Amino acid sequence: MTDKGPSERIAAVVVTHDRPKLLLECLASLIAQSRPLDAILIIDNASEMSTREALHAAGFTDSGGKDSTLTYCAPGRPAIQIRYLRLEENTGGSGGFKRGMELGYNSGFDWLWLMDDDSEPELRALELLLAGGDTTPGSETLLLASKVINEKGETLRLCRGWFDKELVKHNPLPESDYRLETTFVGYATFVGFLVSRRGIAVTGYPDEGFFILYDDLDYSLRLARHGKLLLVNSSVVVHKELMRSAQGAPAADWKRYYRLRNRIFCAKRHGGKTLPIIVLFAKLFLNELTRARNAGAGRKGAHLRLTVKAYFDGIFGYWGKRVEPGSC
């Protein structure tokens, strides 16, 4: 274990879309970190004007414009650079994180800490993350990951785990592994995801073709080809909306399309033998047929058409934003 060296520069990358209240809460928790960040890079995925207005009112941008860089000075805190960039088109989480990582890497930062806008790291999350892993140049550890919990304090186990190449499935980390100080993992979601400059250099950036969902699994598996991914359990990040959406109504059809298409694509890209992949495809299709039968009278046909589209696009590699968010 090593402490942060004086030359290590760390920036948080936060991707947001039309959630100004949650974004401000996320930024407040990042600014309050016991180990101060050197910068925060905010990538705005074509949000409505309310996001820009909220950021400007809080002093995080120098104007209501689409591109801003300033030095923010909170009372009693070190100065921190805040860069805000609004994209002209909603590129999804994958496109947003790709753009943010490009900015961070090209700006010379040593580590980038990825966050959704509904994430809130605990006060010492970054300090403990750095203390728990080897951050020396040349280390095999390319990623340090925080433990992710919900607002009730329950561990969100799906956020960290291992990918079974032979069975073509991702398995959440067992509860016992969260009782260890640190443990290696096979994948981590883009929440409390601290990736090194060397990791980015050998892996590249997230594949923006995913748009949303499974982009972090894909990136983790690509990153793991070059080094190790370490979970530090003392470092904790609260993920708010993930819990709320899990407890609410079923996912919107447009999200279901991306989940199905991208899972099929990940199976093709990272799976092992052909037979388990075929079995997975058949199982997923049967699940969707069951959902279609249980859908309302006016939605069965649309459900099946979207399922077929997801399969076709995933198998034949039709990539990018193929279904507009909120359209179904």
Side-chain angles (χ1 to χ4, degrees):
M1 297 183 188
T2 62
D3 293 328
K4 166 191 168 293
S7 63
E8 284 187 322
R9 299 175 64 238
I10 303 176
V13 176
V14 183
V15 176
T16 189
H17 177 70
D18 281 335
R19 298 196 289 194
K21 181 178 182 296
L22 288 168
L23 174 61
L24 292 180
E25 292 170 356
C26 175
L27 295 177
S29 66
L30 290 172
I31 290 167
Q33 287 297 300
S34 59
R35 190 290 187 190
L37 286 157
D38 297 283
I40 300 174
L41 311 177
I42 306 167
I43 306 300
D44 182 351
N45 254 323
S47 295
E48 298 294 333
M49 190 65 185
S50 58
T51 296
R52 277 182 279 172
E53 291 171 346
L55 288 171
H56 184 54
F60 293 134
T61 61
D62 55 14
S63 69
K66 300 177 181 179
D67 193 343
S68 164
T69 303
L70 58 72
T71 300
Y72 182 83
C73 298
R77 300 292 302 166
I80 182 172
Q81 183 189 78
I82 296 184
R83 172 74 187 274
Y84 168 76
L85 179 64
R86 183 186 185 275
L87 306 181
E88 291 299 323
E89 179 185 358
N90 181 4
T91 61
S94 56
F97 280 117
K98 179 185 179 183
R99 187 73 180 99
M101 289 172 68
E102 286 174 339
L103 276 177
Y105 185 84
N106 292 333
S107 298
F109 290 104
D110 299 295
W111 293 83
L112 298 179
W113 202 22
L114 309 190
M115 292 282 170
D116 280 344
D117 58 4
D118 59 345
S119 305
E120 191 170 324
E122 293 186 350
L123 181 65
R124 298 183 63 205
L126 182 57
E127 174 194 345
L128 294 171
L129 200 54
L130 293 168
D134 183 0
T135 61
T136 54
S139 166
E140 288 187 349
T141 303
L142 302 180
L143 170 75
L144 297 173
S146 304
K147 180 171 72 172
V148 183
I149 65 172
N150 61 27
E151 291 172 290
K152 291 183 177 180
E154 300 163 335
T155 301
L156 296 175
R157 291 177 51 220
L158 279 173
C159 294
R160 309 291 186 248
W162 290 94
F163 182 76
D164 188 326
K165 183 177 179 180
E166 296 306 315
L167 296 179
V168 201
K169 61 182 295 189
H170 52 290
N171 299 310
L173 210 60
E175 192 64 45
S176 58
D177 281 10
Y178 285 101
R179 293 192 285 271
L180 304 172
E181 288 187 11
T182 61
T183 186
F184 290 110
V185 296
Y187 73 83
T189 58
F190 286 159
V191 172
F193 186 106
L194 184 67
V195 60
S196 70
R197 181 175 184 82
R198 190 168 73 86
I200 298 170
V202 296
T203 306
Y205 302 109
D207 187 337
E208 62 185 328
F210 281 89
F211 188 65
I212 63 166
L213 302 173
Y214 284 90
D215 50 334
D216 38 21
L217 173 65
D218 173 75
Y219 190 76
S220 295
L221 296 177
R222 289 162 49 206
L223 188 66
R225 295 171 187 165
H226 306 285
K228 296 181 178 180
L229 286 58
L230 185 70
L231 170 66
V232 180
N233 281 312
S234 58
S235 173
V236 178
V237 176
V238 179
H239 198 184
K240 303 172 184 176
E241 290 296 297
L242 185 65
M243 174 189 174
R244 295 172 191 170
S245 61
Q247 291 178 335
D253 282 350
W254 70 269
K255 287 186 178 180
R256 186 176 55 80
Y257 162 82
Y258 287 109
R259 180 175 288 112
L260 186 56
R261 183 198 69 173
N262 294 350
R263 186 173 181 186
I264 289 169
F265 184 82
C266 272
K268 286 179 56 189
R269 176 177 280 183
H270 300 290
K273 298 177 182 178
T274 303
L275 181 58
I277 295 176
I278 294 173
V279 171
L280 173 67
F281 287 2
K283 185 183 297 185
L284 290 175
F285 194 76
L286 289 174
N287 288 342
E288 292 303 323
L289 286 179
T290 300
R291 289 177 182 172
R293 284 198 299 268
N294 295 333
R299 296 185 62 242
K300 291 182 181 180
H303 189 108
L304 283 174
R305 284 192 295 273
L306 205 61
T307 297
V308 171
K309 178 177 175 59
Y311 263 79
F312 184 86
D313 290 352
I315 290 171
F316 293 103
Y318 287 92
W319 218 216
K321 184 166 66 172
R322 300 273 292 171
V323 174
E324 194 66 30
S327 62
C328 55

